[in-house]
Amino acid sequence: MNWLDGAYGTEMAVLALIALLAASLAVSAIAWWRMRRSAAELVRLQQDLAVFAEASTRVADTLDQVLRDSGKLSEARATGASRRYLLAQAREALEQGEALNLVAARLRLSRDEVQLLRLASSAAAAA
């Protein structure tokens, strides 16, 4: 005789199916909650990166201005702008739809700067 025979077996099969569905729903709910939490964390990190980049650019501009006013900054350095300023220009060009490789070539960005811009643009696209 099979254990699924009779009323007892049918009840056990139904209970097992209900338990399986409940477990599936619980796993789905946990996965959904973690995904939302990760998305919120990603948005927060993007905002922090934007604030840091903006503050860094302003500090570099202020330092360039102070050095320029004191005469300790050469004219070539003063007209060439700082690397952070170039990154800000590159970020603006990317936001306007220009291709990353064209921006990098035009502004003569280093490999690390290109990688930073690629990460920032992919994070912005994900948001």
Side-chain angles (χ1 to χ4, degrees):
M1 183 177 214
N2 192 344
W3 67 276
L4 290 177
D5 290 341
Y8 181 72
T10 305
E11 288 175 4
M12 290 302 290
V14 169
L15 287 176
L17 183 60
I18 290 172
L20 181 64
L21 287 174
S24 296
L25 286 174
V27 167
S28 297
I30 290 169
W32 177 81
W33 177 74
R34 286 188 179 201
M35 190 172 57
R36 287 204 32 133
R37 190 174 70 176
S38 296
E41 179 70 12
L42 180 62
V43 168
R44 187 187 65 75
L45 288 173
Q46 289 170 341
Q47 291 170 346
D48 289 349
L49 177 63
V51 168
F52 173 75
E54 181 65 28
S56 173
T57 302
R58 288 184 183 190
V59 167
D61 288 342
T62 303
L63 181 60
D64 285 348
Q65 184 65 40
V66 167
L67 291 174
R68 194 176 306 120
D69 291 345
S70 69
K72 294 182 179 180
L73 186 65
S74 69
E75 190 60 33
R77 171 80 168 104
T79 58
S82 68
R83 300 307 293 175
R84 289 183 187 96
Y85 183 70
L86 287 176
L87 282 173
Q89 286 181 326
R91 196 172 61 236
E92 288 174 12
L94 290 174
E95 288 172 358
Q96 293 173 359
E98 193 171 343
L100 179 59
N101 57 351
L102 296 176
V103 172
R106 180 171 48 87
L107 297 176
R108 296 182 186 142
L109 299 176
S110 71
R111 184 173 44 107
D112 291 338
E113 291 165 336
V114 171
Q115 183 64 22
L116 177 64
L117 288 171
R118 185 175 289 121
L119 288 172
S121 64
S122 66

